[in-house]
Each structure stands twice: as C-alpha cells, then as structure tokens.
Amino acid sequence: VDGGGTKTEFALMEPDGKIVRRVSLGPSNYQNIGADAARNVLRDGLSQVAEEARGELLGACLGLAGLDTAQDERIYSAMVGDLFGDAAAKVRIENDCFIALHCGTLGAAGIAIIAGTGSMAIGMNEAGERARSGGWGYRFGDEGSGYYIGYQALVRAVRARDGRAPETQLAALIEEKVGMPLFDLVVRYTAEDPGPDAVGALAPLVTEAALAGDEVARRILTDAAAELVLAARAVWNRLSFASRPVPIVLSGGAFRSDPLREQVQAGLSEQLGDVECILPALPPVAGACVLALEHAGLAVTDEVKANLKASLT
C-alpha cells in the first residue's frame, strides 16, 4: 500500500512479483483526514484487492504518510490490528517516503529526495542504518516542495504588485489560473486556509514563467533546488555508504519541472560527488511490494524485479 496525502494505491502481488490487482482511492493520511476516515480508506482498498486473493497472506507493507512519531506509529499500528486481525504480524508499516526510496532502488541502499506537495529526504545504507531530513509539514518545513514553490509564487507576486520587488509574470499567471484578482485570492486564503494542495497547485506556473525567462520564477526554483540538495546532504552526512555511486532517487511531482530537476541533479553532483540520480520508472507502491516480500522472508530476485516492472510500468 502507498498511502499518501492525495491518494492511496493498493497492489496485490504474487510471490513472483506479478501484480494481480491494483486499486486507487483517496488520501489516507490520518493527520489530514482523521483516523476514522483513514481507516475506512484502507479497509475499502484492502477489501477490493482481496477479491482477487488466492491462498493466505504471506506479507504486506503499508507505506503511510504521516508516520513520523511514536504516536503516529501507535495509531497506525492500531489500524493494522483492526484491519488484519491475527495476520497483523505479517504487516510492516513504513513512512511513505521510505517506500519511495525502494521504488527506485528495489531494495538496495541509497537516498531518496521526495518533492511532492511536501518534501523530505530519507536514506538507508548497506548496514540498514537510516537517516531523514525534513518532512515537518507545510507550516514549519517542506522546503523545496510544490507547496513551497507555490507559496513563494504568491508572496513574490504580491510584493511585485506592491512595487516592493521586481516585476514578474507570476501575478498574471496566478490570476488566469484561479479566475480572480491576485489580492482577492490572498484575502480569501488569509481568511480560509486553502491547505497545501491548493497552494502547491500553483507550482507549475513557476516553471512556466521560468522557462519564459522570468527571473523571479527562476530564483524561486533555484532556492527550492538548494533546499532539496541541503536535505539530501544532511542525510548523506549521517550515513556511510560502502558502494559508489550512491543512488539518489528523485521522487514526486515537483520533479516534473525540468529546471528544478536539473538544478537538483547539478547540486548533488557538485556537493556530494559520486552519485547516480534515478528518476524511478515505477510508482512508489512498487517499493511497498519489495518491502512486503522482504518482510515475508522472500527473495527479491531478478525475476521478481522483472515481473514488477512488467506489471507496474
């Protein structure tokens, strides 16, 4: 299971890596929608994929957004107990960012930079040691994320309209997208918190403006890239990797921006050296599949990897 703040994807897999059934439902981050609603989403998705199940459950992995603290683990563990009953011991729960790492490395060591609506970096070395940086939510962190980029677009557009900052195309692009004057939008967002998704939806406008030569938009993406590289470097500094190059998985919708992705790749090469940036061809749920196999004590062979790729690409 890949349980995110926007959607939740379920995949039922045979031990040889062949996907039998996939289901996609709404968000399951209990911090955003509440524990009861999150449990219902997980129950519905599990019920739907179980319709194709043959034989007993061997292992499962739930990659869950909002799994950060000991309290989060208690809440999600209680859900697993409720949903799986006597089979709960066969279920492994992980932060959804950890499965994003494994959708790129397929079980190997490395670092993942996740830049979707939120952001963080997470890594695991060959000894199984882990480290993370960021992921503190849009109010106190998520630097370099879609939310961060959209928020900066709003702030700098307002400053430009006030005459306190250089002119930018961003104000006009935002007005065209939302269908209202910039200041009316800011007043609305001040009175009614739109949430990170609505602000993050403005991020593609920054790439559009940057590609058209807008210097303000270019600066926003440069700053965002620097923050993402900083998070990866913090993880790198805490872990020792035996092999080179170290895989760095770039996961999340923000990396659809060519200027952002290129600056992150350049920054990683400059600051960390011998790394291999990976744009995963597989969705994050593939990482959950790999970890489910490991939890069941099953080997992730080349055949399994090939079947996963054939099923999920």
Side-chain angles (χ1 to χ4, degrees), residues 72-297:
D72 299 332
E73 186 168 357
R74 285 193 295 271
I75 289 171
Y76 277 129
S77 294
M79 288 186 199
V80 167
D82 181 36
L83 296 170
F84 288 89
D86 293 340
K90 299 180 179 180
V91 182
R92 173 179 182 173
I93 60 172
E94 295 283 359
N95 184 285
D96 64 329
C97 294
F98 193 66
I99 68 168
L101 166 65
H102 289 283
C103 82
T105 66
L106 294 181
I111 295 172
I113 305 174
I114 295 89
T117 302
S119 69
M120 71 176 294
I122 192 166
M124 183 190 75
N125 64 15
E126 292 86 352
E129 299 168 326
R130 300 189 191 186
R132 57 168 281 177
S133 179
W136 298 112
Y138 72 100
R139 294 189 187 278
F140 303 106
D142 284 350
E143 296 88 352
S145 67
Y147 170 83
Y148 172 93
I149 294 168
Y151 173 79
Q152 291 296 324
L154 284 168
V155 169
R156 301 192 195 202
V158 169
R159 288 175 60 85
R161 281 285 172 87
D162 276 352
R164 294 181 289 133
E167 284 298 316
T168 173
Q169 304 171 28
L170 291 171
L173 290 172
I174 292 169
E175 289 176 333
E176 181 181 355
K177 178 175 177 63
V178 301
M180 70 173 65
L182 176 65
F183 292 137
D184 290 351
L185 178 68
V186 171
V187 169
R188 172 182 288 186
Y189 280 5
T190 301
E192 305 170 9
D193 184 351
D197 287 342
V199 176
L202 303 176
L205 302 180
V206 180
T207 296
E208 180 182 342
L211 291 173
D214 189 294
E215 288 300 326
V216 173
R218 286 179 176 176
R219 184 73 250 175
I220 292 173
L221 294 180
T222 297
D223 292 345
E227 290 288 354
L228 295 173
V229 172
L230 184 63
R233 190 175 68 186
V235 172
W236 174 282
N237 288 341
R238 295 192 192 110
L239 296 175
S240 296
F241 291 93
S243 302
R244 294 290 190 277
V246 176
I248 300 189
V249 179
L250 307 181
S251 178
F255 286 117
R256 296 192 190 104
S257 168
D258 290 342
L260 178 70
R261 185 179 66 253
E262 290 164 2
Q263 290 189 68
V264 168
Q265 290 173 320
L268 291 170
S269 295
E270 178 182 347
Q271 296 193 34
L272 303 184
D274 197 3
V275 300
E276 177 191 6
C277 291
I278 297 173
L279 294 172
L282 297 175
V285 75
C289 290
V290 169
L291 295 176
L293 287 165
E294 289 184 354
H295 191 62

